[in-house]
Amino acid sequence: MVTVRDRHPKDDAGRVDIALWLDGLDARGAVRDRARLTAACELAEAASWRAGSWVRSDGILVSSFETGLEMADILADLRVDEDGLVAGILYRAVREERLGLDEVRREFGEVTAGLVEGVLRMAAVSALKLGTVPKSLGDPEDQIENVRKMLVALVDDVRVALIKLAERTCAIRAAKNDPQPRRERIAREVADVYAPLAHRLGIGQLRWELEDLSFRYLEPEAYKRIATLLQERREARQQYVDEVVRALALELDAAGVHASISGRPKHIYSIWRKMRAKGIGFSEVYDVHAVRVLVDELKDCYAALGVVHGLWRHIPHEFDDYIAMPKENGYRSIHTAVIGPEGRNVEVQIRTHEMHAEAELGVCAHWAYKGADAAGDPSYEEKVAWLRQVLEWQEELGDLDGLGDVLRRDFHQDRIYVLTPDGHVVDLAPDATPLDYAYRIHTEVGHHCRAARVGGALVPLNHRLETGDAVEIVTDDAVEPSLAWLAPGMGYVTTSRARAKIQAYFRDRDATAAERDGRAAVTRELVRMGIDGALLAEIAPRLGVPDALALYRAVGRARITQAELLRALDGVVSSTRAGQMQLLPGTADAQPLPDATRVVGAGALPVWIADCCVPRPGDAIVGIVALGHGVSVHRSDCRRVLELEREEDGAVIRLRWGDAPARGVSHDLRIHAYDRPGLLHEISSVFAAEEIDVTATSVRTDRARSTATMELTVEVNGLETLGRLMDRIEAIANIVDVRRVPGAEAVDASFPPA
């Protein structure tokens, strides 16, 4: 027989009476715009029947609409704002694909839709495997901690975390009659992830329920044993607590302390954990008999403490003053244990009404109090503190609009958390790539990585991963690591772990393979830097190897890096420039350009001050070009310049002094690409990120072939920087070729073959 859970007021037709339900919400001060909440309820109700209803294994007809109302009830108790309530009402309908996120955005705005979308991201945790994990990913406790951290890292609005906690509370409440495997899966997820999250955020009224219900399903025998002991002694225990309350009330009243005294609720999981941790029996647990004293003012806390200790004998080592010395999270209360009437142990908590509200609602609560999850990751603690600060601001200001953006600027995450295809969580450094992930999984996975998918879509191996990404590596036994993976500018790997494993692979290679790949890498740098291969005889000794063959093998084994090779090339090019100036016609006594000046107009050609006229900054200047050697700088009225202008048309070029000191050497670059919108912007972004000046630029497009050729003059501090810049440009989609244009050499500017 199918029945419907009867948790909300119904009308005569058996449907939820939305108006009556809203009256109850309004009585708690949770309703601001009744029409908006009514519209959300009506949409959720209509959506819950769009794809038919869902009948659970126990025959109960489950409505995503009623689940949404139950979530909103919980959120109202947590004082979540109206956008959060609407998101809670609609969330299950969206998750069950009865309602589209676009429809939520259209009807209720971007904020509400963003909250629903954020909770959907957190739902990925439900698909994770929290039991056994591969050895390479650590032990199960490490995995569970990574899941918690990933969960917190996904949250960019504290309301998202609260909505998810409300949803999981509804889920575990409804799991009572589910099949055992499903019930245990939900309980494990709640115990390992969501109860600790509620504990971290200090939301006591949810934490205890989540812990007790998950404990009930995971340890049914232990739960029943303690529950039975509590039930058997319930009447006697209640009578005893009532006696303690009466006696304490009389003494406090006589002392002039106005207080509200009650028995503190007993949580089965808390009792079991204390018994197991201390190796004690049920009768030895102090807070089996416990009372809570709530007073109006801070001074009354200590007055009440004096009355308690004057009435009963204090138990040594069972006293904590979290008012004088609050917990790091701000939790404030006095805890003491005494030997009460009949010689029984009694725990007493004393705090103000304000402190109690904070503890229950998670504003300054005990997320570290009695916590089994030890602090360790500063990023995790910082994010939790961020979430808690938003809660506190909400309490003070009654609003969350804009607070997340303000606080998020001060939060920096130093780890990201991604998902494996098997449902495990892997922690990586920020900006990690699929290749970093592959080597984190296993060395051989990295060595044979052919491609990567993120969220099912193929991405480049230097794609930047983000928390929550589901990553899959495509391997091929025929694939081997590439030396390009080690090039910093290409961005294939960002972690030292992956880089070390790639370098180890190349170090162990045979001479033939090393020579082959090293020759290709060296040739690539010579070609794209426009440097004559004949200079290798000078380059090799600079790198500590005898000849070109040894250079190839050293590069092929990653013993000489791309950066070291480029620095050596830079040294040879610089010395060649200096020697070439002796060949300039009529400038045997030319002088180097002073460091504090800059000449604009010579492009990448080496520039020297002519000794015949010795121009200084401020003089009008021109340059004499010696093909393939450089430019000598002369005053415009220099006799040699006037003679040369009459003899050789075009040998003199216009120059001017720069407006700022030289920051590096000018180089001309030529970039070939297939044209597309936004290409020039992406290239410009690379220059901006590298803080490199572009002093000249021109772009030619061929619309018939959809190609573009860009020529740029840039100033860099050396070929190492230039190489990194070129690598980053080559990594941009549609880029075909990037080369340095050497001096005044004739270079084919035609588009290279596809």
Side-chain angles (χ1 to χ4, degrees):
M1 176 180 176
V2 175
T3 58
V4 179
R5 288 183 295 177
D6 189 12
R7 295 186 177 179
H8 303 99
K10 302 293 175 61
D11 59 19
D12 293 339
R15 297 177 57 184
V16 173
D17 189 325
I18 294 174
L20 195 57
W21 178 78
L22 284 172
D23 287 343
L25 211 62
D26 197 15
R28 287 180 276 171
V31 177
R32 290 188 182 179
D33 186 343
R34 191 180 181 98
R36 190 165 184 252
L37 287 172
T38 300
C41 291
E42 291 174 348
L43 179 60
E45 184 179 33
S48 69
W49 301 106
R50 285 180 183 176
S53 53
W54 174 34
V55 180
R56 290 191 343 187
S57 59
D58 59 351
I60 291 180
L61 186 65
V62 177
S63 161
S64 60
F65 167 51
E66 292 202 44
T67 301
L69 296 186
E70 188 178 353
M71 289 173 60
D73 281 326
I74 295 171
L75 294 169
D77 289 338
L78 297 177
R79 302 183 186 178
V80 173
D81 67 0
E82 189 173 283
D83 281 317
L85 294 179
V86 173
I89 292 169
L90 300 175
Y91 169 71
R92 288 300 306 189
V94 175
R95 182 174 177 181
E96 294 171 14
E97 298 182 352
R98 300 167 186 264
L99 180 65
L101 196 58
D102 288 341
E103 189 173 357
V104 174
R105 184 175 287 106
R106 184 171 60 253
E107 296 295 329
F108 297 99
E110 188 64 43
V111 174
T112 297
L115 294 176
V116 174
E117 192 171 21
V119 185
L120 289 172
R121 286 198 303 269
M122 295 181 74
V125 171
S126 297
L128 303 182
K129 297 178 180 178
L130 300 176
T132 58
V133 295
K135 187 176 181 180
S136 62
L137 297 183
D139 59 41
E141 283 303 315
D142 291 337
Q143 181 65 191
I144 291 170
E145 186 64 14
N146 278 346
V147 172
R148 294 173 187 165
K149 292 175 181 176
M150 183 193 77
L151 192 70
V152 171
L154 284 170
V155 176
D156 56 6
D157 188 312
V158 71
R159 292 168 293 184
V160 170
L162 299 181
I163 294 168
K164 186 60 185 177
L165 285 173
E167 188 270 337
R168 286 293 85 189
T169 301
C170 294
I172 200 164
R173 285 174 180 174
K176 179 179 179 180
N177 296 311
D178 278 343
Q180 184 176 347
R182 171 179 166 80
R183 185 169 64 241
E184 290 185 355
R185 179 182 62 78
I186 293 174
R188 174 57 58 196
E189 177 188 324
V190 166
D192 288 344
V193 179
Y194 292 104
L197 178 59
H199 168 68
R200 285 286 191 178
L201 295 177
I203 307 172
Q205 64 189 61
L206 288 187
R207 173 199 173 184
W208 299 118
E209 181 178 3
L210 293 174
E211 287 184 341
D212 276 1
L213 287 178
S214 58
F215 177 56
R216 175 182 181 179
Y217 301 142
L218 295 174
E219 299 285 349
E221 295 302 321
Y223 180 91
K224 288 178 183 177
R225 184 169 64 253
I226 296 173
T228 300
L229 289 170
L230 286 171
Q231 185 64 30
E232 286 175 351
R233 305 180 184 182
R234 181 178 181 181
E235 186 175 346
R237 191 176 63 253
Q238 188 60 50
Q239 290 177 353
Y240 181 79
V241 169
D242 289 344
E243 180 185 345
V244 170
V245 169
R246 280 194 299 270
L248 185 54
L250 288 172
E251 292 296 323
L252 288 172
D253 188 56
V257 178
H258 181 264
S260 172
I261 311 171
S262 61
R264 190 165 66 83
K266 308 301 177 292
H267 302 288
I268 294 176
Y269 174 74
S270 177
I271 292 173
W272 173 80
R273 185 173 60 187
K274 185 172 293 186
M275 290 168 58
R276 188 178 62 168
K278 296 187 176 183
I280 58 178
F282 179 80
S283 62
E284 299 175 85
V285 178
Y286 293 139
D287 58 1
V288 168
H289 301 104
V291 296
R292 179 174 291 139
V293 180
L294 302 182
V295 296
D296 296 329
E297 299 181 38
L298 178 61
K299 63 181 179 61
D300 295 331
C301 292
Y302 293 98
L305 177 64
V307 171
V308 171
H309 284 179
L311 185 59
W312 298 300
R313 184 162 60 88
H314 165 242
I315 298 175
H317 310 299
E318 292 295 333
F319 174 78
D320 292 291
D321 185 350
Y322 297 125
I323 295 178
M325 298 184 64
K327 294 274 191 177
E328 287 185 6
N329 55 22
Y331 174 76
R332 296 173 296 161
S333 185
I334 293 174
H335 298 178
T336 188
V338 297
I339 299 176
E342 303 175 17
R344 299 182 186 182
N345 297 331
V346 180
E347 183 187 74
V348 182
Q349 292 184 355
I350 306 170
R351 55 191 184 225
T352 66
H353 291 282
E354 179 185 2
M355 295 173 190
H356 180 63
E358 290 172 350
E360 290 298 296
L361 295 175
V363 178
C364 291
H366 50 300
W367 52 272
Y369 170 59
K370 295 185 181 178
D373 43 336
D377 184 341
S379 169
Y380 182 40
E381 302 302 334
E382 186 180 352
K383 187 61 178 284
V384 171
W386 173 79
L387 292 172
R388 294 187 54 74
Q389 189 176 352
V390 179
L391 280 171
E392 186 173 5
W393 281 30
Q394 178 201 16
E395 189 74 11
E396 293 176 359
L397 305 179
D399 191 7
L400 282 171
D401 292 343
L403 296 183
D405 291 337
V406 172
L407 294 173
R408 197 177 300 115
R409 300 189 195 109
D410 298 328
F411 172 72
H412 172 70
Q413 182 184 330
D414 62 1
R415 302 298 288 175
I416 62 172
Y417 302 90
V418 299
L419 308 177
T420 73
D422 293 330
H424 299 300
V425 176
V426 176
D427 67 306
L428 296 165
D431 294 329
T433 66
L435 209 50
D436 289 309
Y437 165 86
Y439 278 105
R440 175 70 173 82
I441 296 299
H442 195 280
T443 302
E444 291 304 312
V445 174
H447 285 348
H448 300 295
C449 175
R450 172 182 287 280
R453 293 189 180 93
V454 173
L458 284 171
V459 297
L461 292 183
N462 57 4
H463 172 81
R464 290 296 183 263
L465 298 176
E466 297 180 356
T467 290
D469 282 346
V471 187
E472 178 187 357
I473 299 298
V474 180
T475 59
D476 187 334
D477 289 342
V479 172
E480 295 181 346
S482 166
L483 284 170
W485 290 359
L486 294 173
M490 299 297 285
Y492 283 111
V493 293
T494 62
T495 63
S496 57
R497 177 193 181 106
R499 185 172 297 278
K501 289 187 174 184
I502 297 170
Q503 289 171 331
Y505 171 86
F506 284 111
R507 279 199 303 270
D508 296 335
R509 307 186 79 199
D510 62 76
T512 302
E515 180 184 337
R516 179 195 66 218
D517 289 351
R519 183 187 297 272
V522 172
T523 302
R524 171 180 179 269
E525 296 302 337
L526 290 174
V527 169
R528 71 178 190 152
M529 292 298 170
I531 296 174
D532 191 342
L535 294 176
L536 282 181
E538 297 180 46
I539 294 170
R542 289 174 177 265
L543 292 167
V545 291
D547 52 32
L549 185 61
L551 174 62
Y552 297 149
R553 290 176 178 172
V555 171
R557 286 177 173 148
R559 289 174 179 166
I560 293 177
T561 66
Q562 178 199 42
E564 292 170 332
L565 176 62
L566 288 173
R567 283 197 294 270
L569 292 174
D570 199 22
V572 171
V573 169
S574 297
S575 63
T576 302
R577 280 176 176 163
Q580 287 172 342
M581 293 318 300
Q582 300 303 318
L583 303 177
L584 290 172
T587 59
D589 296 324
Q591 302 175 19
L593 188 70
D595 291 338
T597 61
R598 180 174 68 171
V599 170
V600 178
L605 297 176
V607 177
W608 297 81
I609 298 296
D611 190 55
C612 55
C613 58
V614 191
R616 293 287 181 260
D619 295 338
I621 54 174
V622 294
I624 297 178
V625 179
L627 191 62
H629 299 299
V631 177
S632 59
V633 181
H634 297 255
R635 285 169 41 180
S636 58
D637 58 356
C638 177
R639 179 177 54 84
R640 293 184 181 179
V641 171
L642 298 175
E643 291 175 354
L644 194 58
E645 283 181 328
R646 288 194 295 268
E647 296 172 5
E648 297 183 37
D649 185 34
V652 177
I653 60 175
R654 294 182 179 276
L655 301 176
R656 63 179 175 83
W657 298 107
D659 298 326
R663 294 183 57 186
V665 177
S666 290
H667 294 275
D668 290 336
L669 294 182
R670 182 172 291 120
I671 303 171
H672 294 298
Y674 288 103
D675 199 15
R676 62 174 172 82
L679 179 62
L680 184 58
H681 173 73
E682 289 187 40
I683 294 173
S684 299
S685 297
V686 172
F687 292 118
E690 293 286 337
E691 298 183 348
I692 289 175
D693 285 341
V694 179
T695 59
T697 180
S698 66
V699 180
R700 301 193 307 276
T701 58
D702 184 337
R703 296 189 180 279
R705 299 175 64 189
S706 295
T707 62
T709 300
M710 305 174 202
E711 295 181 347
L712 309 99
T713 301
V714 299
E715 287 189 348
V716 296
N717 294 324
L719 294 188
E720 179 185 355
T721 303
L722 185 64
R724 183 175 67 249
L725 173 70
M726 295 166 74
D727 283 340
R728 290 196 59 180
I729 294 174
E730 286 180 354
I732 296 174
N734 283 36
I735 297 295
V736 176
D737 183 63
V738 183
R739 297 191 184 186
R740 169 181 169 269
V741 181
E745 298 173 13
V747 179
D748 181 10
S750 63
F751 197 81

